[in-house]
Amino acid sequence: MVVMTDGEPPENSPEPGAAPDASAGGPLGGLPQQPGQSPAATALEAQGDGAVTSTPSGPPLLGRLRDVARGRKAVWAAVAVVCVAAGVIGSLLGAQAVARNDAAKAGQAFPRTSSGISSQLKLAIQHDEDILISASTFFSGNATASAAEFNVWVKWAQMLRRYPELQRLGLVTLVRAPEIAAFQARVTGHVVKPPAGNTLKPALTSRSVKRIVPLATPASVGLNVVPAGIRGFYCLAAVELARAHVRRSPAGLDYCARTPTLLSSRDSALGGYARTSVGRSEGLAIVTPVYRGNLPPSGLVSRRGAFVGWLREVLLPSVVLQQALRGHAGYAVRLRYKAHSSNIVFNSGTAQRGAQSSTVNLHNGWTVRTFGPPPATASVLNDRNALALLIGGAIVSLLLGLLVFLLGGGRSPARAPQARELPHADLYDPLTGLPNRALMMDRAERMLARATRQSGLLVGALFIDIDWFKDVNEKLGEDAGDELLAIVAERLDNVVRAHDTVGRLGGDEFVVLVESAARGARLDSLARRVIEALHKPVQLEGFGPSFAMTASIGVAFGRYASPDDLLRDAQLALRAAQTAGRDRYTLFNANMRSVIEGRGVLEAELNTALQEKQFILLYQPIYDLGTRKVAGFEALLRWRHPKQGILPPEDFVPLAEEAGLIVPIGRWALEEACTRAAAWNVAGHRVGISVEVSPNQLNRDGFATDVRRALQQSGIDPSLLTLEIAETTLMRDIEGSRARLQEIHEMGVRIAVDDFGSGYAEQSDLQLMPLDFLKVDRSSLAASEDEEYRSWLLQAILIVGRELSLTVIATGIQTQEQLRAVQGMGCTMAQGSFMGRPAPADAVESVLQSELPAAPADPTSLAQWSPGSTPPAEG
């Protein structure tokens, strides 16, 4: 195929408008043609020489032009068709590749998902066995426990919270007919006496004397036996725990009459499983014989003598099955118990037609069969991603062909983005292979349960945090951080003992769980070995020379009620190690908890202070050095503590930030400052007000609404309000800060960068921000041995302000010499104790009309604003 470019005629075809060949005897046939010269040019030269010329007629020329145009369009149409065909074929091949890839991923996802479901169900079965062990231990040592004592133990063991599948738990005892009155007295707590005229039963006391002995029957003591009848013995529930929504069993339900094989389990010491109903749901009833000493004696007579009763546990398997299937759409599960004479099946979910299935033996008679989606076929029409790629590719190909046809060129279609594969949640960390938080908490709970049953055991935890790990991620990248975490996991696994557990909670936090005898618990030596192992040089692939790694460790051990308490104390010890300088371990002590409790008291007092309006604002004047008049005030927050007096911000603002209380406190300060400034302006004093904004306030989506409400409620001119944002806050999220500040700046509010020079902001970053002021901290203005350096630093800041059209405010001016130096460098606004200390609104109104003092301000004029108070600190 010959492809032509625009304006290029086909080979051996006449140029449109050119003369016919000379041999044809045309009008130009007698003129010589120069090499490389077109016939039209030759004709023009002939005309210039006065030669007699003629031109072809109009209709034949137009026909040849139309033919050439049609030929060109046909060629580009062919090119467009080729592009469209190539695009469609490429889209089809790509769609087939996507379909095969998705089918392969789906085939790999089912084994992982089914394994995860099986692991969760295995843990749930082990939890249910823990219920039996714990309850059996209680009843073996408290054979005659009352309902009140059992309820106390249930609350202590947190049975209902820890095991949501548990619906009912109780002890069924064997009650002989003569003991029915004593049993009823034990259950009800009242002495029951058989009424007169009760049923009489003959009893032989000798071979020659008969007498009538009154015996109590269930009916005589107010007990309705189900099923009814007078028998030699009964199997009745002595104590029972049931959830609020579960209907309790009848008090006189005779389990032996309902289940004749129950007595044989007493002699065989074997438990049994049976299906039961819990409301409208299917439940699982587990009956286990309990003996004194918590172990069945070897002989039959001994077993009957040590027999306490049957522990009866009713579970709702659907709760466990639904938890295992959570997050796995299209999956179903079948849980089966088959042992001895029991064969029970529980289902959850609906298996699809042609579904994949996997069967796992959970041992002890339990098996689980997982049903997943049908195997994915590599069919484009059945794969949404592949079909979307095919349709999208065809549309793009058509558009490309149209562009090629219209413009004579085109672009190759962009490669479709590949779908991200979401990580599958499991019991192990995918990066390090260590147990994750869920599995670690489960193992810690098991260790604590064993320590509760065995007085000689203690459980401990080492909470490990890698020092300066954030710097590795920021400077070397996340790949280097992941490699470092894998190295740490390997070293920890090599240091601990075989029966200790190492896990990763998340980020750079690791935990080592230790179970040891109380006398031999030496977790400090283990912590030292961990630190020594981590001190070895680390070589990351592709990241230069090796470097030393350090870690901080918090150690806690003892007897704890829950894993959360154990890890909480270990984390408190970790914080103490980090505060002490890192690269060390610290053992937990009770003082650490008292510090946290003290912080909790302070947090509660902050809530009270917010409700009782214990916060106040002090105002420090800001002077215009050109007019020597007050241009505005900075509102400074203080806490009028009922016991400790006036507290500066550094004593409570950090805690308010952590507790989330800084948002309502900052909202109050903003509204109060705007209201005060509006009152000054109504009185004829046009002064601005500056309010500091915390990072939590700025990062809230509703911060702009808070500013708008403060403006509307006070009626202040928006241009008189200045919000001060720390430079470090702006640099944390430049794009997010710019968007939020732009919305506020559009209201007319002005923005100031506070403590400029502390956040290493670049001039290009500041140009993106809607700013009005730069506030320079007094640390930049302090006297220095190098006068040239101090002058250069201040001049550089002023130059940056002028280049960005920002006004520089010098803060912390304490002496007349500092003020003169600032004025000499061209600074137009200043603030500091030399001009006036922070004081209440009533005390600063006197300076609204005064000029800048020529000498240090009298501390009694502004500082002594309340009887017996000390001058408030600046800022």
Side-chain angles (χ1 to χ4, degrees), residues 36 71 200 203 234 262 301 377 456 630 633 740 838 853 862:
L200 300 179
Y234 307 91
L262 194 60
V301 177
T377 59
V630 175
F633 292 89
R740 293 183 178 90
L862 295 180

Side-chain angles (χ1 to χ4, degrees), residues 98-114 331 356-357 372-378 382-383 385 421:
V98 170
R100 288 193 297 269
N101 188 31
D102 289 347
K105 288 183 179 179
Q108 296 172 0
F110 175 73
R112 293 196 303 267
T113 304
S114 61
Y331 279 78
Q356 305 178 76
S357 64
T377 59
N382 295 332
D383 191 301
N385 296 331
E421 183 180 1

Side-chain angles (χ1 to χ4, degrees), residues 41 81 83 192 203 272 280 328 375-376 401-402 570 662 729 753-754 809 820 824 836:
V81 170
C83 291
V192 179
R280 297 183 178 180
H328 303 299
L402 182 61
I662 195 62
T729 301
V753 180
D754 197 16
I809 303 176
R820 290 197 191 99

Side-chain angles (χ1 to χ4, degrees), residues 54-76:
S54 64
T55 59
S57 59
L61 177 62
L62 290 177
R64 286 194 294 270
L65 288 174
R66 291 192 186 98
D67 292 340
V68 172
R70 280 194 293 268
R72 184 183 300 115
K73 288 184 179 179
V75 171
W76 284 114

Side-chain angles (χ1 to χ4, degrees), residues 425-506:
D426 205 346
L427 296 177
Y428 292 87
D429 177 53
L431 176 63
T432 62
L434 297 177
N436 60 12
R437 175 182 288 272
L439 186 54
M440 289 296 290
M441 297 299 285
D442 181 78
R443 292 185 178 180
E445 188 172 9
R446 291 176 177 279
M447 288 183 177
L448 294 175
R450 283 195 295 270
T452 302
R453 296 191 298 267
Q454 303 178 23
S455 59
L457 285 181
L458 285 181
V459 178
L462 276 68
F463 206 112
I464 304 169
D465 184 84
I466 308 303
D467 297 336
W468 320 116
F469 178 77
K470 183 179 179 181
D471 293 344
V472 176
N473 266 348
E474 292 178 352
K475 296 177 181 178
L476 302 182
E478 294 185 358
D479 291 340
D482 291 346
E483 186 178 352
L484 180 61
L485 291 177
I487 294 174
V488 171
E490 181 179 3
R491 293 186 180 181
L492 292 178
D493 199 47
N494 292 334
V495 168
V496 301
R497 299 173 301 180
H499 57 277
D500 295 339
T501 302
V502 181
R504 182 188 176 202
L505 299 186

Side-chain angles (χ1 to χ4, degrees), residues 531-550:
I531 290 179
E532 292 173 358
L534 297 180
H535 275 175
K536 298 178 182 178
V538 176
Q539 177 68 52
L540 300 181
E541 184 178 358
F543 295 99
S546 61
F547 61 92
M549 174 179 53
T550 63

Side-chain angles (χ1 to χ4, degrees), residues 394-713:
I395 294 175
V396 171
S397 300
L398 290 174
L399 295 176
L400 177 62
L402 182 61
L403 287 176
V404 169
F405 180 72
L406 295 177
L407 303 177
R411 298 177 181 177
S412 60
R415 186 172 60 184
Q418 297 180 354
R420 293 180 57 191
E421 183 180 1
L422 296 176
H424 175 69
D426 205 346
L427 296 177
Y428 292 87
D429 177 53
L431 176 63
T432 62
L434 297 177
N436 60 12
R437 175 182 288 272
L439 186 54
M440 289 296 290
M441 297 299 285
D442 181 78
R443 292 185 178 180
E445 188 172 9
R446 291 176 177 279
M447 288 183 177
L448 294 175
R450 283 195 295 270
T452 302
R453 296 191 298 267
Q454 303 178 23
S455 59
L457 285 181
L458 285 181
V459 178
L462 276 68
F463 206 112
I464 304 169
D465 184 84
I466 308 303
D467 297 336
W468 320 116
F469 178 77
K470 183 179 179 181
D471 293 344
V472 176
N473 266 348
E474 292 178 352
K475 296 177 181 178
L476 302 182
E478 294 185 358
D479 291 340
D482 291 346
E483 186 178 352
L484 180 61
L485 291 177
I487 294 174
V488 171
E490 181 179 3
R491 293 186 180 181
L492 292 178
D493 199 47
N494 292 334
V495 168
V496 301
R497 299 173 301 180
H499 57 277
D500 295 339
T501 302
V502 181
R504 182 188 176 202
L505 299 186
D508 61 329
E509 294 180 345
F510 296 84
V511 166
V512 178
L513 296 178
V514 179
E515 189 179 38
S516 178
R519 294 184 178 180
R522 293 298 303 274
L523 273 70
D524 51 348
S525 60
L526 176 59
R528 283 194 296 268
R529 293 200 306 271
V530 169
I531 290 179
E532 292 173 358
L534 297 180
H535 275 175
K536 298 178 182 178
V538 176
Q539 177 68 52
L540 300 181
E541 184 178 358
F543 295 99
S546 61
F547 61 92
M549 174 179 53
T550 63
S552 301
I553 303 176
V555 182
F557 64 96
R559 300 191 179 279
Y560 287 89
S562 68
D564 293 332
D565 296 340
L566 174 63
L567 294 185
R568 177 202 61 198
D569 289 351
Q571 193 170 19
L572 290 177
L574 170 65
R575 292 179 182 175
Q578 292 173 333
T579 304
R582 303 177 186 267
D583 190 21
R584 65 190 64 209
Y585 71 91
T586 301
L587 300 178
F588 172 80
N589 59 69
N591 293 333
M592 299 176 184
R593 194 178 298 160
S594 63
V595 172
I596 298 299
E597 293 173 354
R599 291 171 63 88
V601 172
L602 184 59
E603 182 178 342
E605 291 179 348
L606 278 174
N607 279 288
T608 303
L610 188 61
Q611 297 174 3
E612 298 180 359
K613 299 181 179 180
Q614 297 177 4
F615 296 103
I616 60 174
L617 290 180
L618 305 183
Y619 300 88
Q620 187 173 30
I622 303 173
Y623 279 85
D624 187 339
L625 300 183
T627 62
R628 304 181 68 83
K629 295 284 187 179
V630 175
F633 292 89
E634 181 181 5
L636 303 172
L637 183 66
R638 298 292 187 271
W639 181 9
R640 195 196 301 268
H641 196 279
K643 297 180 180 180
Q644 303 180 32
I646 304 299
L647 297 181
E650 57 266 23
D651 288 350
F652 64 90
V653 167
L655 180 59
E657 288 271 7
E658 295 178 4
L661 295 175
I662 195 62
V663 173
I665 294 174
R667 186 186 299 120
W668 171 86
L670 179 62
E671 295 175 357
E672 177 69 16
C674 289
T675 302
R676 178 62 62 181
W680 287 331
N681 282 271
V682 170
H685 308 294
R686 186 170 178 80
V687 291
I689 191 70
S690 298
V691 181
E692 184 178 358
V693 176
S694 70
N696 288 356
Q697 286 181 274
L698 180 63
N699 294 332
R700 282 183 64 249
D701 293 335
F703 179 62
T705 303
D706 294 343
V707 176
R708 189 177 293 108
R709 180 170 55 247
L711 294 175
Q712 293 173 351
Q713 291 179 354

